[in-house]
């Protein structure tokens, strides 16, 4: 065993004994007690104190300072233990944190990063505006410097979970006379202040995942300007790369293909949750699904998923050896969106009438959840930049094609 493998094996053992020590009994598998808010908080703090809510961030900013391999071990052991890891702000950990680490000054890193790792501040993303979605650089929300503050006026839309957020990272126009990409700044500010109105947008489903956010003379401390004044576009694009990369990692195929279990010399054949699920609805002919056309669609989907997972893994290793996140994240975001929609379509086809339920008796909770998931998947090719926009990025920045 190499020194690296031995160190990983020791790390695995440590995690394996640490998890049951710090997990409150009410959260442990098989518990019949509903976990209290204090127990959930204790679980969160146990992770945050070791930096495991943001395991790859440097330790001095509240991260775990772990390597990618150690993170993989941590994730495997948490999955094995069978308790969901504590959740902290997606917007903070996946989007803002990485750009603060790259572009923020020391004071900003100290002020914001640790709060993100401990889940003390919920963030939201103030990018889209009523007239600026795909054409993001067309944004009109203005910020004008006034002494040690910026005064912000304008409106953002489709701001996911703004009604549950404390702070916003916001693209603002700070030079209306400059060329449109050159007059934008990246500003952070508190949403709990006069002059900020957050209006949830009611969707056809009855849910409300988005808000429209209005700013009327809202105030941002000038010390919360990230990067140079009017230099926000570079940061905005980098944040989108992180967002797109994470969105693709969370969709089918985005997870690593079946990992080798510690010390195992053989990888078990991949299983197909879709095929397993379909058996109950389609029936079988001998060992195989009864419907040959659906059998074929599922097999093709699983093969594509496996290839996608391997390609993502290879890209991750190349990125580690090279420059990190790149415009290639657009390729993965596009493919992951299509894969997730395809998965939903196949599942709806295998379930037939059982896929028609939105709520009510007559449908199992899993059937309702999957139908809702299928409908939600339609948003995958819009959020984080539409599929058409990803195709433009791929054409220009990956393939180098002319405008
Ligand atoms: C689930 C979800 C969550 C979201 N969360 C957030 C959030 O938290 N914060 C936030 O700021 N925004 C958020 N958004 C908004 C999202 O980023 C925008 O909806 C998206 O960028 C598209 O902008 P738009 O809706 O204005 O559409 P438009 O830009 O008006 O586009 C309409 C259509 O025209 C096409 N199109 C536009 N320009 C081109 C072009 N140059 N070439 C080819 N086709 C083009 C588009 O692809 C699309 O099909 C979210 C969206 C969704 C669906």
């Amino acid at each position: 065993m190499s020194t690296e493998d031995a160190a990983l094996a020791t790390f695995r053992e440590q995690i394996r004994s640490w998890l049951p020590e710090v997990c409150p009994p009410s959260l442990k598998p098989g518990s019949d007690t509903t976990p209290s808010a204090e127990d959930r908080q204790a679980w969160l703090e146990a992770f945050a104190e070791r930096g495991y809510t943001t395991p790859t961030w440097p330790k001095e900013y509240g991260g775990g300072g772990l390597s990618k391999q150690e993170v993989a071990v941590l994730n495997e052991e948490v999955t094995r233990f069978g308790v969901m890891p504590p959740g902290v702000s997606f917007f903070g950990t996946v989007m803002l944190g990485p750009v603060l680490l790259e572009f923020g000054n020391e004071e900003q890193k100290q002020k914001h990063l640790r709060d993100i790792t401990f889940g003390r501040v919920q963030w939201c993303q103030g990018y889209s505006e009523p007239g600026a979605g795909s054409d993001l650089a067309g944004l009109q929300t203005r910020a004008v410097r006034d002494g040690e503050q910026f005064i912000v006026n304008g409106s953002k839309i489709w701001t996911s979970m703004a009604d549950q957020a404390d702070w916003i990272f916001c693209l603002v126009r700070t030079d209306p006379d400059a060329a449109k990409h050159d007059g934008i700044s990246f500003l952070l500010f508190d949403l709990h202040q006069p002059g900020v109105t957050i209006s949830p947008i009611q969707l056809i489903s009855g849910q409300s995942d988005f808000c429209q956010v209005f700013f009327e003379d809202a105030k941002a401390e000038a010390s919360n300007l990230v990067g140079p004044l009017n230099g926000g576009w570079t940061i905005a694009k980098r944040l989108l790369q992180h967002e797109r990369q994470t969105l693709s990692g969370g969709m089918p195929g985005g997870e690593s293909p079946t990992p080798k279990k510690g010390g195992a010399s053989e990888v078990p054949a991949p299983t197909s949750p879709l095929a397993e699920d379909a058996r109950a609805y389609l029936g079988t002919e001998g060992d195989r699904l009864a419907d040959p056309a659906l059998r074929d669609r599922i097999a093709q989907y699983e093969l594509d998923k496996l290839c996608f997972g391997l390609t993502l893994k290879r890209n991750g290793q190349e990125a580690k050896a090279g420059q990190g996140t790149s415009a290639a994240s657009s390729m993965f975001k596009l493919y992951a969106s299509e894969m997730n929609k395809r998965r939903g379509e196949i599942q709806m086809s295998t379930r037939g009438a059982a896929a028609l339920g939105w709520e009510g008796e007559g449908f199992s909770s899993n059937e309702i959840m999957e139908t809702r998931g299928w409908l939600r998947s339609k948003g995958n090719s819009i959020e984080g930049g539409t599929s058409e926009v990803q195709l433009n990025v791929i054409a220009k920045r990956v393939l180098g094609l002319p405008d």
Side-chain angles (χ1 to χ4, degrees):
M1 193 189 277
S2 71
T3 325
E4 205 182 47
D5 285 348
L8 274 183
T10 309
F11 179 68
R12 186 183 294 281
E13 284 312 312
Q14 286 166 356
I15 298 294
R16 208 170 273 187
S17 54
W18 173 75
L19 285 166
E21 255 170 48
V22 293
C23 184
S26 66
L27 275 136
K28 284 189 178 151
S31 156
D32 51 10
T33 317
T34 309
S36 62
E38 287 76 25
D39 283 355
R40 293 199 175 284
Q41 186 62 21
W43 184 229
L44 168 62
E45 277 175 24
F47 267 66
E49 268 154 22
R50 286 193 163 208
Y52 291 170
T53 52
T54 50
T56 55
W57 291 10
K59 284 190 172 173
E60 66 262 42
Y61 302 121
L66 301 188
S67 66
K68 289 257 163 66
Q69 291 91 327
E70 287 170 325
V71 176
V73 167
L74 175 67
N75 291 341
E76 278 167 35
E77 289 305 314
V78 172
T79 308
R80 199 180 114 94
F81 184 55
V83 182
M84 288 283 283
V88 285
S89 169
F90 172 82
F91 293 100
T93 53
V94 162
M95 300 189 210
L96 179 63
V99 300
L100 276 185
L101 285 169
E102 185 176 353
F103 298 99
N105 60 34
E106 190 55 28
E107 188 193 332
Q108 291 165 342
K109 291 180 195 172
Q110 295 292 351
K111 180 174 162 67
H112 298 294
L113 292 176
R114 199 167 291 272
D115 280 349
I116 292 174
T117 66
F118 274 84
R120 292 183 195 126
V121 173
Q122 299 301 315
W123 286 87
C124 65
Q125 179 187 28
Y127 270 38
S128 308
E129 296 187 5
S134 300
D135 182 21
L136 184 57
L139 61 94
Q140 294 301 326
T141 292
R142 290 276 306 271
V144 177
R145 181 83 187 241
D146 178 20
E148 284 312 298
Q149 292 182 321
F150 283 96
I151 309 298
V152 186
N153 281 284
S155 168
K156 296 286 171 182
I157 197 163
W158 313 127
T159 323
S160 299
M161 294 183 282
D163 50 347
Q164 294 160 47
D166 304 300
W167 278 62
I168 188 165
F169 50 86
C170 197
L171 295 179
V172 290
R173 186 154 299 286
T174 36
D175 184 352
D177 300 323
K180 68 181 187 178
H181 296 92
D182 298 335
I184 293 172
S185 299
F186 191 95
L187 196 57
L188 318 175
F189 57 94
D190 195 339
L191 288 171
H192 303 304
Q193 60 165 304
V196 175
T197 310
I198 300 174
S199 305
I201 300 171
Q202 190 79 8
L203 303 178
I204 194 169
S205 63
Q207 286 173 266
S208 170
D209 300 335
F210 312 111
C211 299
Q212 184 161 5
V213 186
F214 301 90
F215 309 117
E216 226 176 303
D217 291 336
K219 295 182 174 57
E221 296 303 321
S223 59
N224 279 316
L225 173 73
V226 181
L229 184 70
N230 301 320
W233 187 244
T234 306
I235 304 176
K237 282 192 298 182
R238 181 54 58 89
L239 185 138
L240 282 174
Q241 286 177 352
H242 288 296
E243 179 178 6
R244 287 166 188 167
Q245 194 171 48
T246 305
L247 287 175
S248 27
M251 288 193 228
E255 72 275 16
S256 291
T258 322
K260 269 193 198 180
K261 294 288 171 236
S265 56
E266 285 181 11
V267 178
T271 51
S272 168
L274 264 185
E276 290 311 312
D277 184 76
R279 282 173 192 275
Y281 295 92
L282 295 175
T284 49
E285 268 169 12
D287 225 13
R288 307 190 314 166
L289 283 178
D291 185 323
L294 274 166
R295 206 162 64 209
D296 193 46
R297 274 173 76 191
I298 293 174
Q300 193 57 54
Y301 167 85
E302 294 295 350
L303 284 172
D304 289 347
K305 181 177 139 185
L306 200 60
C307 294
F308 182 47
L310 287 167
T311 309
L312 270 181
K313 204 170 174 193
R314 195 197 67 215
N315 182 260
Q317 281 159 358
E318 281 170 4
K320 215 171 81 185
Q323 312 103 332
T325 316
S326 73
S329 57
S330 285
M331 290 176 5
F332 299 126
K333 198 271 177 175
L334 176 75
Y335 197 74
S337 301
E338 294 310 314
M339 284 294 283
N340 201 33
K341 290 197 294 184
R342 207 167 126 198
R343 181 193 162 281
E345 295 293 339
I346 295 174
Q347 190 146 52
M348 294 303 102
S349 309
T350 59
R351 289 188 171 189
L356 296 176
W358 175 257
E359 58 192 3
E361 288 170 17
F363 301 97
S364 71
S365 58
N366 176 273
E367 283 164 350
I368 289 172
M369 187 186 78
E370 289 292 349
T371 303
R372 289 180 178 220
W374 164 66
L375 287 164
R376 172 63 181 81
S377 72
K378 306 294 175 190
N380 295 154
S381 38
I382 304 175
E383 64 197 316
T386 64
S387 289
E388 292 80 4
V389 165
Q390 305 312 319
L391 287 169
N392 286 344
V393 174
I394 295 164
K396 280 194 255 177
R397 303 225 181 82
V398 181
L399 301 175
L401 298 176
D403 268 333

